[in-house]
Amino acid sequence: MNFVLIRTNMCRTVGIQSFCEMAQNKSSAEPRPRGRPRAYDPQAALLHAMDTFWRTGYSGTSLDEISAATGMNRPSLYAAFGDKRALYLKALGDYWQLTFADMREALAGDLPLGEALMRVYEGALSIYFSGDGRPRGCFVIGTAVTEAVEDPEIRDSLAAGLHTFDTDFEARLRTAREKGELKMDADPAALAMLATATMHTIAIRARAGFPRAELRELARKAVGVICG
């Protein structure tokens, strides 16, 4: 069963943090075969590690903190994921896939352009406001942007992810122009970058403590500008 799809569906309804708790509870509740040690769940462990990086950033997170969050000792972590950097890159890659899947589902179908775009932003807000009672914004913005300055692999991941957002938005905007939802002289590429920038603006403001309702209204106004 595809882990990314499982996590994507769960995150839409309960948030990543809640899913981590559910995964942990499920693992604890499952009977242990007699005579065999309990095996860790790498999927749940990765989510717990992601949550730890999300709270304190890559540089601010120690392997001891990851070990405590995942319930795995250092040798087990190294065996399963490699070093801290490799584990972070795995979490970053999975987060990208989560957001891409959610975005593409929101943009698919025959909804009017404005409704489709708002579905993207509502999904993003659900992630940005997931967690243990405090908004945490976007995992990428909160962790990768700082590290990208010195780490070429993280920088490449960041650039590729932003390019994917632009490309997916642009494809939907071109379709909207063909259907007459946008003016024929509209520039889908420029509007796509504005749509992507809106996602990052609400992510940063969520982390800064802006209310969710205010950010939803900001997204709605941005959609109005994009749709003309």
Side-chain angles (χ1 to χ4, degrees):
M1 186 173 294
N2 188 288
F3 168 49
V4 173
L5 293 180
I6 294 173
R7 190 184 60 202
T8 300
N9 291 333
M10 296 299 295
C11 285
R12 289 193 191 99
T13 56
V14 299
I16 292 175
Q17 174 68 22
S18 298
F19 179 47
C20 286
E21 294 169 356
M22 291 174 64
Q24 185 178 41
N25 293 337
K26 180 178 182 294
S27 177
S28 299
E30 289 176 348
R32 185 191 309 179
R34 181 173 298 178
R36 296 179 60 188
R38 186 190 304 276
Y40 68 87
D41 181 343
Q43 299 171 355
L46 184 61
L47 283 169
H48 284 296
M50 179 189 291
D51 186 65
T52 305
F53 284 128
W54 210 331
R55 288 198 312 271
T56 56
Y58 173 76
S59 297
T61 299
S62 69
L63 275 175
D64 287 339
E65 289 170 322
I66 296 172
S67 179
T70 60
M72 298 168 62
N73 58 31
R74 285 194 179 201
S76 295
L77 284 171
Y78 279 115
F81 303 108
D83 60 14
K84 187 180 88 166
R85 181 173 177 276
L87 175 56
Y88 172 75
L89 287 169
K90 172 63 175 171
L92 179 60
D94 276 16
Y95 183 85
W96 278 128
Q97 294 307 313
L98 163 68
T99 53
F100 296 156
D102 277 353
M103 176 180 176
R104 287 163 183 166
E105 182 174 334
L107 292 176
D110 296 324
L111 285 176
L113 176 62
E115 291 183 30
L117 291 175
M118 280 307 301
R119 283 185 65 187
V120 173
Y121 297 130
E122 289 286 4
L125 286 170
S126 294
I127 294 176
Y128 300 162
F129 281 85
S130 66
D132 52 1
R134 60 180 182 270
R136 53 185 174 179
C138 171
F139 179 74
V140 174
I141 298 299
T143 63
V145 171
T146 301
E147 302 304 322
V149 176
E150 298 293 338
D151 191 310
E153 192 168 358
I154 294 176
R155 183 165 62 248
D156 288 346
S157 176
L158 178 60
L162 297 179
H163 177 72
T164 299
F165 278 143
D166 290 346
T167 299
D168 286 355
F169 274 127
E170 183 178 348
R172 180 64 178 83
L173 289 162
R174 288 190 182 280
T175 298
R177 189 175 64 176
E178 292 169 2
K179 291 181 175 181
E181 293 183 279
L182 292 174
K183 297 177 181 178
M184 288 306 298
D185 62 351
D187 184 345
L191 293 175
M193 286 189 285
L194 176 58
T196 298
T198 299
M199 288 190 71
H200 302 140
T201 294
I202 62 177
I204 294 169
R205 289 170 181 258
R207 193 146 187 162
F210 284 68
R212 184 169 181 169
E214 185 174 332
L215 299 182
R216 185 182 295 111
E217 179 63 13
L218 187 157
R220 188 190 65 78
K221 291 179 178 177
V223 168
V225 172
I226 293 168
C227 293

mmCIF file of all heavy atoms in Angstrom, residues 3 7 39-50 53 58 63 66-67 69-94 153:
data_model
loop_
_atom_site.group_PDB
_atom_site.id
_atom_site.type_symbol
_atom_site.label_atom_id
_atom_site.label_comp_id
_atom_site.label_asym_id
_atom_site.label_seq_id
_atom_site.Cartn_x
_atom_site.Cartn_y
_atom_site.Cartn_z
ATOM 1 N N PHE A 3 2.473 4.487 0.914
ATOM 2 C CA PHE A 3 2.524 5.267 2.152
ATOM 3 C C PHE A 3 2.154 6.716 1.941
ATOM 4 O O PHE A 3 1.444 7.317 2.734
ATOM 5 C CB PHE A 3 3.934 5.155 2.731
ATOM 6 C CG PHE A 3 4.225 6.117 3.844
ATOM 7 C CD1 PHE A 3 3.360 6.252 4.904
ATOM 8 C CD2 PHE A 3 5.375 6.888 3.816
ATOM 9 C CE1 PHE A 3 3.646 7.132 5.925
ATOM 10 C CE2 PHE A 3 5.647 7.766 4.830
ATOM 11 C CZ PHE A 3 4.781 7.875 5.883
ATOM 12 N N ARG A 7 -0.810 8.715 3.922
ATOM 13 C CA ARG A 7 -0.553 9.891 4.731
ATOM 14 C C ARG A 7 -1.305 11.097 4.195
ATOM 15 O O ARG A 7 -1.818 11.914 4.950
ATOM 16 C CB ARG A 7 0.951 10.178 4.762
ATOM 17 C CG ARG A 7 1.303 11.246 5.778
ATOM 18 C CD ARG A 7 2.765 11.584 5.728
ATOM 19 N NE ARG A 7 3.092 12.071 4.418
ATOM 20 C CZ ARG A 7 4.326 12.050 3.924
ATOM 21 N NH1 ARG A 7 5.302 11.538 4.610
ATOM 22 N NH2 ARG A 7 4.565 12.527 2.720
ATOM 23 N N ALA A 39 8.964 -4.624 16.334
ATOM 24 C CA ALA A 39 9.605 -3.959 15.207
ATOM 25 C C ALA A 39 9.079 -2.531 15.093
ATOM 26 O O ALA A 39 7.893 -2.298 15.304
ATOM 27 C CB ALA A 39 9.328 -4.725 13.918
ATOM 28 N N TYR A 40 9.958 -1.601 14.800
ATOM 29 C CA TYR A 40 9.511 -0.226 14.635
ATOM 30 C C TYR A 40 8.783 -0.084 13.313
ATOM 31 O O TYR A 40 8.970 -0.863 12.379
ATOM 32 C CB TYR A 40 10.697 0.729 14.714
ATOM 33 C CG TYR A 40 11.650 0.609 13.553
ATOM 34 C CD1 TYR A 40 11.432 1.328 12.378
ATOM 35 C CD2 TYR A 40 12.762 -0.217 13.616
ATOM 36 C CE1 TYR A 40 12.288 1.216 11.301
ATOM 37 C CE2 TYR A 40 13.622 -0.333 12.535
ATOM 38 C CZ TYR A 40 13.379 0.387 11.388
ATOM 39 O OH TYR A 40 14.224 0.270 10.318
ATOM 40 N N ASP A 41 7.951 0.936 13.213
ATOM 41 C CA ASP A 41 7.221 1.241 11.991
ATOM 42 C C ASP A 41 7.963 2.383 11.305
ATOM 43 O O ASP A 41 7.913 3.523 11.779
ATOM 44 C CB ASP A 41 5.784 1.643 12.331
ATOM 45 C CG ASP A 41 4.952 1.948 11.088
ATOM 46 O OD1 ASP A 41 5.537 2.156 10.016
ATOM 47 O OD2 ASP A 41 3.719 2.010 11.207
ATOM 48 N N PRO A 42 8.655 2.140 10.206
ATOM 49 C CA PRO A 42 9.444 3.205 9.580
ATOM 50 C C PRO A 42 8.590 4.355 9.087
ATOM 51 O O PRO A 42 9.047 5.497 9.054
ATOM 52 C CB PRO A 42 10.150 2.498 8.417
ATOM 53 C CG PRO A 42 9.352 1.267 8.153
ATOM 54 C CD PRO A 42 8.794 0.857 9.484
ATOM 55 N N GLN A 43 7.345 4.076 8.705
ATOM 56 C CA GLN A 43 6.466 5.133 8.233
ATOM 57 C C GLN A 43 6.115 6.082 9.375
ATOM 58 O O GLN A 43 6.212 7.306 9.243
ATOM 59 C CB GLN A 43 5.207 4.519 7.621
ATOM 60 C CG GLN A 43 5.514 3.634 6.422
ATOM 61 C CD GLN A 43 4.300 2.850 5.950
ATOM 62 O OE1 GLN A 43 3.240 2.895 6.570
ATOM 63 N NE2 GLN A 43 4.447 2.138 4.856
ATOM 64 N N ALA A 44 5.711 5.513 10.502
ATOM 65 C CA ALA A 44 5.394 6.349 11.654
ATOM 66 C C ALA A 44 6.635 7.056 12.174
ATOM 67 O O ALA A 44 6.583 8.223 12.579
ATOM 68 C CB ALA A 44 4.764 5.492 12.759
ATOM 69 N N ALA A 45 7.773 6.365 12.150
ATOM 70 C CA ALA A 45 9.024 6.970 12.623
ATOM 71 C C ALA A 45 9.389 8.182 11.781
ATOM 72 O O ALA A 45 9.815 9.216 12.311
ATOM 73 C CB ALA A 45 10.147 5.935 12.589
ATOM 74 N N LEU A 46 9.217 8.068 10.474
ATOM 75 C CA LEU A 46 9.538 9.197 9.600
ATOM 76 C C LEU A 46 8.631 10.386 9.886
ATOM 77 O O LEU A 46 9.074 11.542 9.887
ATOM 78 C CB LEU A 46 9.414 8.775 8.136
ATOM 79 C CG LEU A 46 9.811 9.823 7.095
ATOM 80 C CD1 LEU A 46 11.271 10.224 7.254
ATOM 81 C CD2 LEU A 46 9.560 9.296 5.688
ATOM 82 N N LEU A 47 7.363 10.125 10.136
ATOM 83 C CA LEU A 47 6.445 11.214 10.460
ATOM 84 C C LEU A 47 6.817 11.893 11.770
ATOM 85 O O LEU A 47 6.753 13.117 11.893
ATOM 86 C CB LEU A 47 5.008 10.683 10.535
ATOM 87 C CG LEU A 47 4.338 10.431 9.188
ATOM 88 C CD1 LEU A 47 3.035 9.665 9.369
ATOM 89 C CD2 LEU A 47 4.077 11.745 8.461
ATOM 90 N N HIS A 48 7.219 11.099 12.761
ATOM 91 C CA HIS A 48 7.653 11.690 14.027
ATOM 92 C C HIS A 48 8.928 12.511 13.840
ATOM 93 O O HIS A 48 9.080 13.575 14.447
ATOM 94 C CB HIS A 48 7.871 10.596 15.070
ATOM 95 C CG HIS A 48 6.612 10.039 15.640
ATOM 96 N ND1 HIS A 48 5.734 10.803 16.375
ATOM 97 C CD2 HIS A 48 6.080 8.793 15.593
ATOM 98 C CE1 HIS A 48 4.716 10.041 16.754
ATOM 99 N NE2 HIS A 48 4.908 8.828 16.280
ATOM 100 N N ALA A 49 9.840 12.021 13.015
ATOM 101 C CA ALA A 49 11.059 12.777 12.738
ATOM 102 C C ALA A 49 10.719 14.070 12.013
ATOM 103 O O ALA A 49 11.266 15.139 12.325
ATOM 104 C CB ALA A 49 12.019 11.929 11.901
ATOM 105 N N MET A 50 9.822 13.998 11.036
ATOM 106 C CA MET A 50 9.399 15.203 10.326
ATOM 107 C C MET A 50 8.814 16.221 11.296
ATOM 108 O O MET A 50 9.124 17.418 11.226
ATOM 109 C CB MET A 50 8.361 14.851 9.253
ATOM 110 C CG MET A 50 7.847 16.069 8.476
ATOM 111 S SD MET A 50 6.432 15.683 7.405
ATOM 112 C CE MET A 50 7.227 14.662 6.167
ATOM 113 N N PHE A 53 11.688 17.927 13.204
ATOM 114 C CA PHE A 53 12.354 18.930 12.356
ATOM 115 C C PHE A 53 11.462 20.160 12.181
ATOM 116 O O PHE A 53 11.943 21.295 12.167
ATOM 117 C CB PHE A 53 12.655 18.338 10.981
ATOM 118 C CG PHE A 53 13.818 17.390 10.931
ATOM 119 C CD1 PHE A 53 13.684 16.124 10.378
ATOM 120 C CD2 PHE A 53 15.064 17.777 11.413
ATOM 121 C CE1 PHE A 53 14.759 15.255 10.314
ATOM 122 C CE2 PHE A 53 16.153 16.909 11.355
ATOM 123 C CZ PHE A 53 15.995 15.637 10.803
ATOM 124 N N TYR A 58 16.130 22.060 11.027
ATOM 125 C CA TYR A 58 17.142 21.017 10.807
ATOM 126 C C TYR A 58 18.326 21.196 11.757
ATOM 127 O O TYR A 58 18.702 20.271 12.477
ATOM 128 C CB TYR A 58 17.617 21.054 9.359
ATOM 129 C CG TYR A 58 18.775 20.129 9.087
ATOM 130 C CD1 TYR A 58 18.576 18.763 8.971
ATOM 131 C CD2 TYR A 58 20.081 20.627 8.977
ATOM 132 C CE1 TYR A 58 19.633 17.904 8.739
ATOM 133 C CE2 TYR A 58 21.144 19.777 8.744
ATOM 134 C CZ TYR A 58 20.920 18.416 8.626
ATOM 135 O OH TYR A 58 21.971 17.575 8.408
ATOM 136 N N LEU A 63 20.052 14.385 17.059
ATOM 137 C CA LEU A 63 19.709 12.979 16.881
ATOM 138 C C LEU A 63 19.068 12.402 18.134
ATOM 139 O O LEU A 63 18.214 11.519 18.051
ATOM 140 C CB LEU A 63 20.954 12.174 16.517
ATOM 141 C CG LEU A 63 21.333 12.146 15.037
ATOM 142 C CD1 LEU A 63 22.657 11.417 14.839
ATOM 143 C CD2 LEU A 63 20.239 11.483 14.212
ATOM 144 N N ILE A 66 15.463 13.243 17.897
ATOM 145 C CA ILE A 66 14.807 12.380 16.912
ATOM 146 C C ILE A 66 14.630 10.978 17.480
ATOM 147 O O ILE A 66 13.582 10.345 17.311
ATOM 148 C CB ILE A 66 15.615 12.339 15.609
ATOM 149 C CG1 ILE A 66 15.648 13.722 14.966
ATOM 150 C CG2 ILE A 66 15.028 11.314 14.639
ATOM 151 C CD1 ILE A 66 16.581 13.825 13.777
ATOM 152 N N SER A 67 15.646 10.507 18.166
ATOM 153 C CA SER A 67 15.558 9.186 18.783
ATOM 154 C C SER A 67 14.420 9.118 19.785
ATOM 155 O O SER A 67 13.650 8.148 19.811
ATOM 156 C CB SER A 67 16.898 8.854 19.457
ATOM 157 O OG SER A 67 16.838 7.586 20.081
ATOM 158 N N ALA A 69 11.752 11.040 19.818
ATOM 159 C CA ALA A 69 10.468 11.204 19.133
ATOM 160 C C ALA A 69 10.032 9.933 18.419
ATOM 161 O O ALA A 69 8.840 9.622 18.351
ATOM 162 C CB ALA A 69 10.554 12.357 18.136
ATOM 163 N N THR A 70 11.000 9.216 17.861
ATOM 164 C CA THR A 70 10.672 8.025 17.075
ATOM 165 C C THR A 70 10.665 6.745 17.896
ATOM 166 O O THR A 70 10.139 5.722 17.447
ATOM 167 C CB THR A 70 11.683 7.843 15.935
ATOM 168 O OG1 THR A 70 13.008 7.700 16.478
ATOM 169 C CG2 THR A 70 11.651 9.037 14.984
ATOM 170 N N GLY A 71 11.277 6.783 19.074
ATOM 171 C CA GLY A 71 11.405 5.569 19.869
ATOM 172 C C GLY A 71 12.464 4.625 19.342
ATOM 173 O O GLY A 71 12.484 3.444 19.697
ATOM 174 N N MET A 72 13.359 5.142 18.511
ATOM 175 C CA MET A 72 14.424 4.331 17.922
ATOM 176 C C MET A 72 15.773 4.824 18.429
ATOM 177 O O MET A 72 16.004 6.028 18.508
ATOM 178 C CB MET A 72 14.382 4.427 16.388
ATOM 179 C CG MET A 72 13.102 3.914 15.769
ATOM 180 S SD MET A 72 12.970 4.371 13.997
ATOM 181 C CE MET A 72 14.400 3.510 13.316
ATOM 182 N N ASN A 73 16.666 3.892 18.759
ATOM 183 C CA ASN A 73 18.003 4.321 19.173
ATOM 184 C C ASN A 73 18.820 4.714 17.951
ATOM 185 O O ASN A 73 18.405 4.516 16.806
ATOM 186 C CB ASN A 73 18.700 3.228 19.993
ATOM 187 C CG ASN A 73 18.829 1.918 19.213
ATOM 188 O OD1 ASN A 73 18.948 1.929 17.989
ATOM 189 N ND2 ASN A 73 18.807 0.800 19.933
ATOM 190 N N ARG A 74 19.982 5.292 18.196
ATOM 191 C CA ARG A 74 20.790 5.799 17.085
ATOM 192 C C ARG A 74 21.168 4.716 16.068
ATOM 193 O O ARG A 74 21.061 4.946 14.859
ATOM 194 C CB ARG A 74 22.040 6.482 17.622
ATOM 195 C CG ARG A 74 21.782 7.848 18.239
ATOM 196 C CD ARG A 74 23.076 8.594 18.421
ATOM 197 N NE ARG A 74 22.874 9.917 18.986
ATOM 198 C CZ ARG A 74 23.758 10.901 18.885
ATOM 199 N NH1 ARG A 74 24.889 10.697 18.241
ATOM 200 N NH2 ARG A 74 23.527 12.082 19.431
ATOM 201 N N PRO A 75 21.633 3.547 16.515
ATOM 202 C CA PRO A 75 21.956 2.514 15.514
ATOM 203 C C PRO A 75 20.768 2.149 14.631
ATOM 204 O O PRO A 75 20.926 1.932 13.424
ATOM 205 C CB PRO A 75 22.400 1.329 16.378
ATOM 206 C CG PRO A 75 22.922 1.953 17.625
ATOM 207 C CD PRO A 75 22.025 3.121 17.878
ATOM 208 N N SER A 76 19.571 2.103 15.216
ATOM 209 C CA SER A 76 18.385 1.778 14.427
ATOM 210 C C SER A 76 18.060 2.890 13.439
ATOM 211 O O SER A 76 17.662 2.625 12.298
ATOM 212 C CB SER A 76 17.190 1.531 15.356
ATOM 213 O OG SER A 76 17.399 0.395 16.163
ATOM 214 N N LEU A 77 18.232 4.120 13.884
ATOM 215 C CA LEU A 77 17.996 5.252 12.980
ATOM 216 C C LEU A 77 18.965 5.225 11.804
ATOM 217 O O LEU A 77 18.568 5.415 10.653
ATOM 218 C CB LEU A 77 18.142 6.573 13.745
ATOM 219 C CG LEU A 77 16.996 6.990 14.659
ATOM 220 C CD1 LEU A 77 17.411 8.191 15.506
ATOM 221 C CD2 LEU A 77 15.753 7.329 13.837
ATOM 222 N N TYR A 78 20.238 4.987 12.094
ATOM 223 C CA TYR A 78 21.226 4.936 11.021
ATOM 224 C C TYR A 78 20.920 3.795 10.058
ATOM 225 O O TYR A 78 21.046 3.939 8.834
ATOM 226 C CB TYR A 78 22.634 4.766 11.600
ATOM 227 C CG TYR A 78 23.255 6.048 12.108
ATOM 228 C CD1 TYR A 78 23.542 6.235 13.451
ATOM 229 C CD2 TYR A 78 23.569 7.080 11.218
ATOM 230 C CE1 TYR A 78 24.111 7.413 13.911
ATOM 231 C CE2 TYR A 78 24.139 8.259 11.668
ATOM 232 C CZ TYR A 78 24.403 8.424 13.015
ATOM 233 O OH TYR A 78 24.954 9.592 13.459
ATOM 234 N N ALA A 79 20.530 2.648 10.609
ATOM 235 C CA ALA A 79 20.243 1.494 9.759
ATOM 236 C C ALA A 79 19.030 1.747 8.868
ATOM 237 O O ALA A 79 18.991 1.307 7.711
ATOM 238 C CB ALA A 79 20.006 0.261 10.630
ATOM 239 N N ALA A 80 18.043 2.453 9.398
ATOM 240 C CA ALA A 80 16.798 2.663 8.654
ATOM 241 C C ALA A 80 16.882 3.831 7.681
ATOM 242 O O ALA A 80 16.348 3.762 6.563
ATOM 243 C CB ALA A 80 15.645 2.896 9.632
ATOM 244 N N PHE A 81 17.538 4.925 8.098
ATOM 245 C CA PHE A 81 17.472 6.159 7.310
ATOM 246 C C PHE A 81 18.825 6.765 6.955
ATOM 247 O O PHE A 81 18.892 7.696 6.157
ATOM 248 C CB PHE A 81 16.663 7.216 8.077
ATOM 249 C CG PHE A 81 15.278 6.785 8.450
ATOM 250 C CD1 PHE A 81 14.953 6.499 9.767
ATOM 251 C CD2 PHE A 81 14.293 6.655 7.480
ATOM 252 C CE1 PHE A 81 13.670 6.107 10.112
ATOM 253 C CE2 PHE A 81 13.009 6.256 7.815
ATOM 254 C CZ PHE A 81 12.702 5.982 9.132
ATOM 255 N N GLY A 82 19.895 6.304 7.571
ATOM 256 C CA GLY A 82 21.182 6.964 7.396
ATOM 257 C C GLY A 82 21.372 8.030 8.468
ATOM 258 O O GLY A 82 20.754 7.982 9.531
ATOM 259 N N ASP A 83 22.207 9.019 8.202
ATOM 260 C CA ASP A 83 22.477 10.059 9.196
ATOM 261 C C ASP A 83 21.341 11.084 9.245
ATOM 262 O O ASP A 83 20.332 10.952 8.534
ATOM 263 C CB ASP A 83 23.823 10.739 8.916
ATOM 264 C CG ASP A 83 23.875 11.393 7.539
ATOM 265 O OD1 ASP A 83 22.808 11.566 6.898
ATOM 266 O OD2 ASP A 83 24.976 11.763 7.097
ATOM 267 N N LYS A 84 21.528 12.101 10.073
ATOM 268 C CA LYS A 84 20.462 13.091 10.262
ATOM 269 C C LYS A 84 20.112 13.790 8.961
ATOM 270 O O LYS A 84 18.929 14.035 8.663
ATOM 271 C CB LYS A 84 20.880 14.134 11.320
ATOM 272 C CG LYS A 84 19.756 15.098 11.681
ATOM 273 C CD LYS A 84 20.198 16.124 12.724
ATOM 274 C CE LYS A 84 20.814 17.337 12.078
ATOM 275 N NZ LYS A 84 20.943 18.486 13.022
ATOM 276 N N ARG A 85 21.112 14.115 8.175
ATOM 277 C CA ARG A 85 20.864 14.813 6.915
ATOM 278 C C ARG A 85 20.055 13.937 5.961
ATOM 279 O O ARG A 85 19.121 14.414 5.300
ATOM 280 C CB ARG A 85 22.187 15.222 6.276
ATOM 281 C CG ARG A 85 22.041 15.984 4.952
ATOM 282 C CD ARG A 85 23.398 16.488 4.483
ATOM 283 N NE ARG A 85 23.311 17.152 3.190
ATOM 284 C CZ ARG A 85 23.341 16.506 2.029
ATOM 285 N NH1 ARG A 85 23.452 15.181 2.021
ATOM 286 N NH2 ARG A 85 23.260 17.177 0.887
ATOM 287 N N ALA A 86 20.412 12.667 5.865
ATOM 288 C CA ALA A 86 19.672 11.751 4.995
ATOM 289 C C ALA A 86 18.226 11.606 5.460
ATOM 290 O O ALA A 86 17.305 11.556 4.636
ATOM 291 C CB ALA A 86 20.356 10.388 4.962
ATOM 292 N N LEU A 87 18.025 11.560 6.765
ATOM 293 C CA LEU A 87 16.675 11.466 7.303
ATOM 294 C C LEU A 87 15.879 12.729 6.987
ATOM 295 O O LEU A 87 14.705 12.658 6.587
ATOM 296 C CB LEU A 87 16.741 11.249 8.817
ATOM 297 C CG LEU A 87 15.418 11.237 9.592
ATOM 298 C CD1 LEU A 87 14.466 10.187 9.041
ATOM 299 C CD2 LEU A 87 15.688 10.989 11.080
ATOM 300 N N TYR A 88 16.522 13.874 7.123
ATOM 301 C CA TYR A 88 15.832 15.130 6.802
ATOM 302 C C TYR A 88 15.458 15.191 5.321
ATOM 303 O O TYR A 88 14.339 15.578 4.968
ATOM 304 C CB TYR A 88 16.702 16.337 7.156
ATOM 305 C CG TYR A 88 16.099 17.622 6.654
ATOM 306 C CD1 TYR A 88 15.003 18.186 7.296
ATOM 307 C CD2 TYR A 88 16.576 18.242 5.495
ATOM 308 C CE1 TYR A 88 14.404 19.339 6.808
ATOM 309 C CE2 TYR A 88 15.990 19.387 5.010
ATOM 310 C CZ TYR A 88 14.905 19.935 5.666
ATOM 311 O OH TYR A 88 14.300 21.064 5.170
ATOM 312 N N LEU A 89 16.388 14.808 4.444
ATOM 313 C CA LEU A 89 16.100 14.834 3.010
ATOM 314 C C LEU A 89 14.957 13.895 2.661
ATOM 315 O O LEU A 89 14.138 14.195 1.782
ATOM 316 C CB LEU A 89 17.351 14.468 2.215
ATOM 317 C CG LEU A 89 18.437 15.548 2.175
ATOM 318 C CD1 LEU A 89 19.737 14.977 1.603
ATOM 319 C CD2 LEU A 89 17.978 16.754 1.352
ATOM 320 N N LYS A 90 14.877 12.755 3.349
ATOM 321 C CA LYS A 90 13.763 11.835 3.135
ATOM 322 C C LYS A 90 12.461 12.489 3.570
ATOM 323 O O LYS A 90 11.443 12.419 2.857
ATOM 324 C CB LYS A 90 14.008 10.550 3.921
ATOM 325 C CG LYS A 90 12.836 9.573 3.943
ATOM 326 C CD LYS A 90 12.497 9.056 2.560
ATOM 327 C CE LYS A 90 11.415 7.990 2.637
ATOM 328 N NZ LYS A 90 10.900 7.621 1.278
ATOM 329 N N ALA A 91 12.464 13.149 4.731
ATOM 330 C CA ALA A 91 11.264 13.833 5.208
ATOM 331 C C ALA A 91 10.879 14.963 4.266
ATOM 332 O O ALA A 91 9.688 15.153 3.957
ATOM 333 C CB ALA A 91 11.498 14.371 6.620
ATOM 334 N N LEU A 92 11.862 15.707 3.781
ATOM 335 C CA LEU A 92 11.592 16.802 2.857
ATOM 336 C C LEU A 92 10.982 16.282 1.556
ATOM 337 O O LEU A 92 9.991 16.836 1.049
ATOM 338 C CB LEU A 92 12.894 17.560 2.566
ATOM 339 C CG LEU A 92 12.814 18.732 1.584
ATOM 340 C CD1 LEU A 92 11.865 19.804 2.083
ATOM 341 C CD2 LEU A 92 14.212 19.316 1.343
ATOM 342 N N GLY A 93 11.554 15.219 1.013
ATOM 343 C CA GLY A 93 11.015 14.647 -0.210
ATOM 344 C C GLY A 93 9.596 14.146 -0.039
ATOM 345 O O GLY A 93 8.745 14.347 -0.919
ATOM 346 N N ASP A 94 9.318 13.524 1.088
ATOM 347 C CA ASP A 94 7.961 13.029 1.329
ATOM 348 C C ASP A 94 6.979 14.185 1.509
ATOM 349 O O ASP A 94 5.828 14.096 1.075
ATOM 350 C CB ASP A 94 7.944 12.123 2.560
ATOM 351 C CG ASP A 94 8.338 10.698 2.223
ATOM 352 O OD1 ASP A 94 8.913 10.480 1.131
ATOM 353 O OD2 ASP A 94 8.074 9.791 3.034
ATOM 354 N N GLU A 153 22.118 20.266 -2.060
ATOM 355 C CA GLU A 153 21.058 19.280 -2.297
ATOM 356 C C GLU A 153 19.714 19.790 -1.794
ATOM 357 O O GLU A 153 18.684 19.619 -2.456
ATOM 358 C CB GLU A 153 21.408 17.946 -1.643
ATOM 359 C CG GLU A 153 20.509 16.804 -2.092
ATOM 360 C CD GLU A 153 21.021 15.445 -1.685
ATOM 361 O OE1 GLU A 153 22.113 15.359 -1.075
ATOM 362 O OE2 GLU A 153 20.333 14.445 -1.969
#
